[in-house]
Amino acid sequence: MGRSPKSTYDLVLLPGDGVGAEVMAEARVLVELVAADTGLAFSLDEIPCGGKFFLEHGSRDWPEGAEAKCSAADAILLGAVGWAGPDGSPVNLPDGKMAGWNAVVGNRVRLDLYANIRPVRCLPGTKHGLSGAFREVWSPDKVDMVIIRENTEGLYSGIGERSQDRATDLRVITRKASERVIRKAFELSRKRGKGAPADGKLRVTCIVKHNVLTGCRFFLDVFREVAKDFPEIDPDVAIVDSFAMFVLTQPERYDVCVTTNMFGDILTDLASVLQGGMGMAVGCNVGDDHAMFEPIHGSAPPLAGKDKANPMAMLLATGQAFGWLGDRFADARLVRAQTAIDAAVASIIERGQPLTGDLGGTAGSRAVAQAVRDDVHTRLTC
Ligand SMILES: NC(=O)c1ccc[n+]([C@@H]2O[C@H](COP(=O)([O-])OP(=O)(O)OC[C@H]3O[C@@H](n4cnc5c(N)ncnc54)[C@H](O)[C@@H]3O)[C@@H](O)[C@H]2O)c1
């Protein structure tokens, strides 16, 4: 890309609702710590957004001018949006979209963040919570894949209609959007260079329902065309429903997977089980010129205000933002910060404490975030 390090990186923070705002507060302290420990400078612009903002302001789900600030940012960090009104039902915009839509889906479409990249790794020591009991179910050496989801169209095109007796949502699959996200998947498999845990083969798995859906047949045709440019990579095809079983029963088969928008939305929540749950899973919304990083979880209203949310996904997402910026601006300090954050989380998981309840621990959200920051500080200053 030929860029050089910047003196100040402009970050927009979108805390959102519920636990989104809580984990973002911890991420903000982490960013400040990284700045102090590395000499990096960040300009932080925190923009309120989501259901609570709409309830308080009545017409918009974020302030006037937020779109332009997001466009101008070097990177965006997003907590999570989604809140319920006084009657208990979700807060929606006048057009029926979820309040918070502009920060999440709006940014993805407006900034052309066409690839939603979701790493799925099981860190050594992870205890999987099943039916209230915690034990190591999946082996860390068998889970190391990335699922890439098309992020701008598909069933989330926003095109549809509703009459008294019928509703439709138009699933749009274009050559342009398919080709660039599929190419990104092959490039990532090549860049990772380690292949699937089962056999070490570079593999890109295209997840479709081509036996039924025209859009999936088209997506798969584009996949087969792009695959020709990557002869060293095994082009693999999985039908979405059986993939939902295999991703849990044979995760070692997968290196990089690519799929359409809604399939990817669902499958990555499912795959987060391999990682220890939603509190560990990161989503990187990446385009050619902009990027937005988030935990994949929502605002988790039942956990909000209780110091219970696992902050690790948000802190790992912050690390991903540093890594992306570091590559983009050839800034080794940022890459080092990401390495330190990844290592800090991995070391706490391996040690087994402090952990929040979703990972079988009893610690609070703030204590876990502080432990991550303490470890990052040690790594960056030793
Ligand atoms: N990108 C986003 O902003 C986004 C994504 C998904 C859902 N949402 C919104 O979030 C709201 C709640 O949705 P939901 O309940 O379906 O999904 P959710 O992700 O908020 O919660 C699902 C489950 O995961 C658990 N969980 C989530 N985050 C956690 C964390 N950090 N630590 C520990 N456990 C965690 C919750 O306790 C809950 O059991 C809705 O309004 C929804 O629209 C927003």
Side-chain angles (χ1 to χ4, degrees):
M1 178 148 314
R3 298 208 190 189
S4 52
K6 293 184 75 174
S7 55
T8 303
Y9 293 95
D10 297 324
L11 300 184
V12 161
L13 312 185
L14 302 171
D17 295 306
V19 306
E22 294 170 21
V23 295
M24 181 63 81
E26 302 301 336
R28 185 178 183 126
V29 185
L30 175 65
V31 172
E32 287 161 354
L33 172 110
V34 166
D37 284 350
T38 59
L40 285 157
F42 300 101
S43 160
L44 304 181
D45 191 352
E46 192 162 314
I47 303 176
C49 59
K52 277 189 184 168
F53 183 91
F54 181 79
L55 285 174
E56 283 159 21
H57 297 84
S59 61
R60 294 174 53 96
D61 58 354
W62 61 357
E64 298 274 357
E67 291 89 345
K69 287 180 173 177
C70 288
S71 299
D74 291 314
I76 303 167
L77 298 180
L78 169 69
V81 298
W83 205 242
D87 65 354
S89 56
V91 184
N92 287 330
L93 298 169
D95 63 4
K97 292 183 178 121
M98 160 189 75
W101 188 94
N102 278 297
V104 184
V105 188
N107 262 351
R108 289 173 181 167
V109 174
R110 205 173 28 250
L111 301 177
D112 210 15
L113 309 177
Y114 59 84
N116 192 319
I117 302 174
R118 298 188 167 187
V120 182
R121 283 179 61 211
C122 176
L123 296 172
T126 301
K127 299 224 171 25
H128 301 95
L130 297 175
S131 304
F134 289 85
R135 63 194 165 92
E136 293 183 33
V137 179
W138 286 276
S139 307
D141 61 341
K142 295 206 163 37
V143 182
D144 186 357
M145 73 184 91
V146 179
I147 301 180
I148 303 189
R149 152 189 174 198
E150 200 292 319
N151 214 24
T152 58
E153 55 178 35
L155 204 52
Y156 299 169
S157 69
I159 306 168
E161 48 79 34
R162 179 175 169 169
S163 63
Q164 185 144 4
D165 300 314
R166 202 178 87 125
T168 59
D169 293 287
L170 187 68
R171 182 169 184 255
V172 178
I173 309 286
T174 64
R175 175 177 294 280
K176 181 183 168 196
S178 304
E179 186 176 336
R180 61 189 181 176
V181 77
I182 290 167
R183 194 164 288 283
K184 184 75 104 185
F186 278 95
E187 286 166 355
L188 182 61
S189 174
R190 185 180 272 173
K191 187 174 172 199
R192 275 163 53 90
K194 52 185 161 181
D199 53 13
K201 282 197 180 147
L202 305 190
R203 180 172 296 118
V204 176
T205 303
C206 182
I207 305 163
V208 277
K209 185 79 182 175
H210 61 305
N211 47 343
V212 177
L213 297 172
T214 308
C216 282
R217 284 193 284 278
F218 185 67
F219 192 78
L220 183 55
D221 285 348
V222 177
F223 174 80
R224 290 192 167 124
E225 283 165 30
V226 174
K228 289 182 190 148
D229 294 340
F230 299 85
E232 80 280 24
I233 301 178
D234 173 25
D236 181 35
V237 181
I239 295 185
V240 61
D241 31 347
S242 58
F243 178 86
M245 175 185 69
F246 288 129
V247 74
L248 295 188
T249 56
Q250 301 176 30
E252 66 276 10
R253 285 173 53 168
Y254 304 109
D255 170 18
V256 175
C257 304
V258 64
T259 190
T260 50
N261 203 339
M262 193 194 70
F263 289 170
D265 193 6
I266 297 168
L267 291 173
T268 48
D269 275 24
L270 181 68
S272 81
V273 172
L274 300 165
Q275 300 170 269
M278 306 273 250
M280 296 300 292
V282 171
C284 311
N285 304 271
V286 174
D288 291 331
D289 300 313
H290 303 276
M292 177 168 78
F293 300 85
E294 57 178 325
I296 75 166
H297 62 72
S299 56
L303 300 183
K306 296 180 181 158
D307 194 30
K308 283 189 168 174
N310 184 351
M312 285 178 169
M314 182 76 239
L315 301 179
L316 289 166
T318 307
Q320 290 280 343
F322 290 152
W324 183 81
L325 285 168
D327 282 349
R328 188 169 168 78
F329 294 101
D331 194 333
R333 297 168 301 172
L334 286 159
V335 176
R336 193 166 154 251
Q338 181 189 11
T339 304
I341 293 167
D342 287 350
V345 169
S347 117
I348 291 168
I349 297 288
E350 189 150 34
R351 196 167 70 222
Q353 56 94 18
L355 298 175
T356 42
D358 56 315
L359 294 176
T362 54
S365 185
R366 289 190 289 269
V368 171
Q370 188 58 51
V372 174
R373 286 192 298 264
D374 289 346
D375 194 308
V376 168
H377 175 64
T378 305
R379 288 170 197 276
L380 290 179
T381 53
C382 68

